[in-house]
Coordinates of all heavy atoms in Angstrom, one line a residue:
G99 N -42.3 8.3 30.0 CA -42.2 9.5 30.8 C -41.2 9.5 31.8 O -40.6 8.4 32.1
G100 N -40.9 10.7 32.4 CA -39.9 10.7 33.4 C -39.5 12.1 33.8 O -39.7 13.0 33.0
D101 N -38.8 12.3 35.0 CA -38.4 13.6 35.4 C -37.6 14.3 34.4 O -36.8 13.6 33.6 CB -37.7 13.5 36.6 CG -38.6 13.1 37.8 OD1 -39.8 13.3 37.7 OD2 -38.1 12.6 38.9
P102 N -37.5 15.7 34.4 CA -36.6 16.3 33.5 C -35.2 16.0 33.7 O -34.7 15.8 34.9 CB -36.8 17.8 33.9 CG -38.2 17.9 34.6 CD -38.3 16.5 35.3
G103 N -34.5 15.8 32.7 CA -33.0 15.5 32.7 C -32.7 14.0 33.2 O -31.5 13.8 33.5
I104 N -33.7 13.2 33.2 CA -33.4 11.9 33.8 C -32.6 11.1 32.7 O -31.8 10.1 33.0 CB -34.7 11.2 34.1 CG1 -34.4 9.9 35.1 CG2 -35.6 10.9 33.1 CD1 -34.3 10.3 36.5
G105 N -32.8 11.4 31.5 CA -32.1 10.7 30.4 C -33.0 10.1 29.3 O -32.5 9.1 28.5
K106 N -34.2 10.6 29.2 CA -35.1 10.1 28.1 C -34.6 10.3 26.7 O -34.5 9.3 26.0 CB -36.5 10.8 28.2 CG -37.2 10.7 29.5 CD -38.5 11.5 29.6 CE -38.3 12.9 29.6 NZ -37.7 13.6 30.7
S107 N -34.1 11.5 26.4 CA -33.6 11.7 25.0 C -32.3 10.8 24.8 O -32.2 10.4 23.7 CB -33.3 13.2 24.9 OG -34.5 14.0 25.3
T108 N -31.6 10.8 25.8 CA -30.4 10.0 25.6 C -30.6 8.5 25.3 O -30.1 8.0 24.4 CB -29.4 10.0 27.0 OG1 -29.3 11.4 27.4 CG2 -28.1 9.4 26.9
L109 N -31.5 8.0 26.1 CA -31.9 6.6 25.9 C -32.4 6.3 24.6 O -32.0 5.4 23.9 CB -32.9 6.2 27.0 CG -33.3 4.7 26.9 CD1 -32.4 3.8 27.3 CD2 -34.6 4.5 27.7
L110 N -33.3 7.2 24.2 CA -33.9 7.0 22.9 C -33.0 7.1 21.7 O -33.0 6.5 20.7 CB -35.2 7.9 22.7 CG -36.3 7.3 23.8 CD1 -37.5 8.4 23.8 CD2 -36.8 5.9 23.5
L111 N -32.1 8.1 21.8 CA -31.1 8.4 20.7 C -30.2 7.2 20.7 O -29.9 6.7 19.5 CB -30.3 9.6 21.0 CG -29.5 10.2 19.9 CD1 -30.4 10.6 18.8 CD2 -28.7 11.5 20.3
Q112 N -29.8 6.6 21.8 CA -28.9 5.5 21.7 C -29.7 4.3 21.0 O -29.0 3.5 20.3 CB -28.5 5.1 23.2 CG -27.5 5.9 23.8 CD -27.1 5.5 25.1 OE1 -27.5 6.0 26.1 NE2 -26.3 4.6 25.2
Y126 N -35.9 10.6 14.3 CA -36.0 11.3 15.6 C -36.5 12.7 15.5 O -35.9 13.5 14.8 CB -34.5 11.3 16.2 CG -34.4 11.9 17.5 CD1 -34.7 11.1 18.7 CD2 -34.1 13.3 17.8 CE1 -34.6 11.6 20.0 CE2 -34.1 13.8 19.0 CZ -34.3 13.0 20.2 OH -34.2 13.5 21.4
E130 N -38.2 19.7 21.3 CA -37.6 20.5 22.5 C -36.2 21.1 22.2 O -35.9 22.1 22.8 CB -37.5 19.6 23.7 CG -39.0 19.1 24.1 CD -39.0 18.5 25.4 OE1 -38.0 17.8 25.9 OE2 -40.1 18.5 26.0
E131 N -35.4 20.4 21.4 CA -34.1 20.8 21.2 C -33.9 21.0 19.7 O -34.6 20.5 18.9 CB -33.1 19.7 21.6 CG -33.1 19.5 23.1 CD -32.4 18.2 23.6 OE1 -32.8 17.2 23.2 OE2 -31.4 18.4 24.3
R139 N -25.3 16.1 21.5 CA -25.5 14.9 22.4 C -24.9 13.7 21.8 O -24.3 12.9 22.4 CB -26.9 14.8 22.8 CG -27.2 13.5 23.5 CD -28.6 13.2 24.0 NE -29.1 14.2 24.9 CZ -30.3 15.0 24.6 NH1 -30.8 14.8 23.5 NH2 -30.6 16.0 25.4
R142 N -21.3 13.4 22.1 CA -20.9 13.1 23.5 C -21.1 11.6 23.7 O -20.3 10.9 24.4 CB -21.7 13.9 24.4 CG -21.4 13.6 25.8 CD -22.0 14.6 26.7 NE -23.5 14.7 26.7 CZ -24.2 13.9 27.3 NH1 -23.8 12.8 28.0 NH2 -25.5 14.0 27.2
L143 N -22.1 11.0 23.1 CA -22.4 9.6 23.3 C -21.6 8.8 22.5 O -21.7 7.5 22.5 CB -23.9 9.3 23.0 CG -24.8 10.1 23.8 CD1 -26.3 9.7 23.4 CD2 -24.7 9.7 25.3
D176 N -40.0 13.5 20.4 CA -39.5 14.1 21.7 C -39.9 15.5 21.8 O -39.1 16.4 21.2 CB -38.0 13.8 21.8 CG -37.3 14.0 23.1 OD1 -38.1 14.3 24.0 OD2 -36.1 13.8 23.2
S177 N -40.9 16.0 22.4 CA -41.9 15.2 23.2 C -43.3 15.5 22.7 O -43.5 16.4 22.0 CB -41.8 15.7 24.7 OG -42.2 17.0 24.7
V217 N -42.4 10.7 23.8 CA -41.8 11.1 25.2 C -43.0 12.0 25.8 O -43.4 12.9 25.1 CB -40.5 11.8 24.9 CG1 -40.0 12.3 26.2 CG2 -39.5 11.0 24.3
G218 N -43.2 11.8 27.0 CA -44.1 12.5 27.8 C -43.5 13.2 28.9 O -42.7 12.7 29.6
H219 N -44.1 14.4 29.2 CA -43.6 15.1 30.4 C -44.3 14.5 31.6 O -45.4 14.0 31.5 CB -43.9 16.6 30.4 CG -43.1 17.4 29.4 ND1 -43.3 18.6 29.1 CD2 -42.0 16.9 28.7 CE1 -42.4 19.0 28.1 NE2 -41.8 18.0 27.9
V220 N -43.7 14.7 32.9 CA -44.5 14.3 34.1 C -44.8 15.5 34.8 O -44.2 16.6 34.8 CB -43.5 13.3 34.9 CG1 -43.4 12.0 34.2 CG2 -42.3 13.8 35.2
F242 N -39.4 6.4 33.4 CA -38.0 6.4 33.4 C -37.8 7.0 34.9 O -38.2 8.1 35.2 CB -37.5 7.3 32.4 CG -36.0 7.0 32.0 CD1 -35.5 7.3 30.8 CD2 -35.2 6.4 33.0 CE1 -34.2 7.0 30.5 CE2 -33.9 6.0 32.6 CZ -33.3 6.4 31.3
T246 N -31.6 11.6 40.5 CA -30.7 12.3 39.5 C -29.3 12.4 40.2 O -28.3 12.6 39.5 CB -31.1 13.7 39.1 OG1 -31.8 14.2 40.1 CG2 -32.0 13.7 37.9
S248 N -27.9 9.9 41.8 CA -27.2 8.6 41.6 C -27.1 8.3 40.2 O -27.8 8.8 39.4 CB -27.8 7.5 42.4 OG -28.8 6.8 41.7
N249 N -26.3 7.4 39.9 CA -26.1 7.0 38.5 C -27.1 6.0 37.9 O -27.2 5.9 36.7 CB -24.8 6.4 38.3 CG -23.6 7.4 38.3 OD1 -23.9 8.5 38.1 ND2 -22.3 7.0 38.6
R251 N -30.5 4.3 36.8 CA -31.8 4.7 36.3 C -32.5 3.4 36.1 O -32.1 2.4 35.5 CB -31.7 5.4 34.8 CG -30.7 6.6 34.8 CD -31.5 7.8 35.4 NE -30.7 9.1 35.3 CZ -29.9 9.4 36.1 NH1 -29.6 8.7 37.3 NH2 -29.2 10.5 36.0
M271 N -26.0 5.7 34.3 CA -25.7 6.9 33.4 C -24.3 7.2 33.5 O -23.7 7.4 34.6 CB -26.6 8.1 34.0 CG -26.3 9.4 33.2 SD -26.8 9.4 31.6 CE -28.4 10.1 31.5
T272 N -23.6 7.1 32.4 CA -22.3 7.4 32.3 C -21.9 8.6 31.4 O -22.8 9.0 30.7 CB -21.5 6.2 31.8 OG1 -21.7 6.1 30.4 CG2 -21.7 4.9 32.4
E273 N -20.7 9.1 31.3 CA -20.5 10.2 30.4 C -20.8 9.8 29.1 O -21.2 10.7 28.2 CB -19.0 10.5 30.6 CG -18.7 11.9 30.3 CD -17.2 12.3 30.9 OE1 -17.1 12.2 32.1 OE2 -16.4 12.7 30.0
R274 N -20.6 8.6 28.7 CA -21.0 8.2 27.3 C -22.4 7.6 27.2 O -22.6 6.7 26.3 CB -20.0 7.2 26.7 CG -18.7 7.7 27.2 CD -17.5 7.3 26.0 NE -17.8 8.0 24.7 CZ -17.1 7.7 23.6 NH1 -16.3 6.8 23.6 NH2 -17.4 8.5 22.5
G275 N -23.3 8.0 27.9 CA -24.6 7.6 27.8 C -25.1 6.5 28.9 O -24.4 6.3 29.8
L276 N -26.2 5.9 28.5 CA -26.7 4.9 29.4 C -26.2 3.5 29.1 O -26.2 3.1 28.0 CB -28.3 5.0 29.3 CG -28.9 6.2 29.9 CD1 -30.2 6.5 29.2 CD2 -29.1 6.0 31.4
Ligands
ATP501 N1 -21.2 15.6 29.9 C1 -21.9 14.8 30.4 N2 -21.4 13.8 31.3 C2 -22.2 12.9 31.9 N3 -23.5 13.1 32.0 C3 -24.1 14.0 31.2 C4 -23.4 14.9 30.5 N4 -24.2 15.7 29.9 C5 -25.4 15.3 30.2 N5 -25.4 14.2 31.0 C6 -26.5 13.5 31.6 O1 -27.6 13.5 30.7 C7 -28.7 13.9 31.4 C8 -29.6 14.6 30.4 O2 -30.2 13.5 29.6 P1 -31.4 13.9 28.6 O3 -31.2 15.2 28.0 O4 -31.5 12.6 27.8 O5 -32.6 13.9 29.7 P2 -34.1 14.1 29.3 O6 -34.9 13.1 30.2 O7 -34.3 14.0 27.9 O8 -34.4 15.5 29.8 P3 -35.6 16.7 29.3 O9 -36.6 16.3 30.1 O10 -35.0 17.9 29.6 O11 -35.7 16.4 27.9 C9 -28.3 15.0 32.4 O12 -29.1 15.0 33.5 C10 -27.0 14.2 32.9 O13 -27.3 13.2 33.9

Side-chain angles (χ1 to χ4, degrees):
D101 287 339
I104 196 92
K106 302 178 290 296
S107 308
T108 307
L109 176 73
L110 294 173
L111 196 61
Q112 284 181 263
Y126 182 86
E130 293 190 339
E131 294 168 297
R139 173 178 300 120
R142 177 167 62 79
L143 300 176
D176 191 359
S177 66
V217 176
H219 290 176
V220 292
F242 205 155
T246 34
S248 92
N249 283 341
R251 303 280 186 276
M271 178 62 96
T272 70
E273 210 161 298
R274 309 214 73 182
L276 291 154

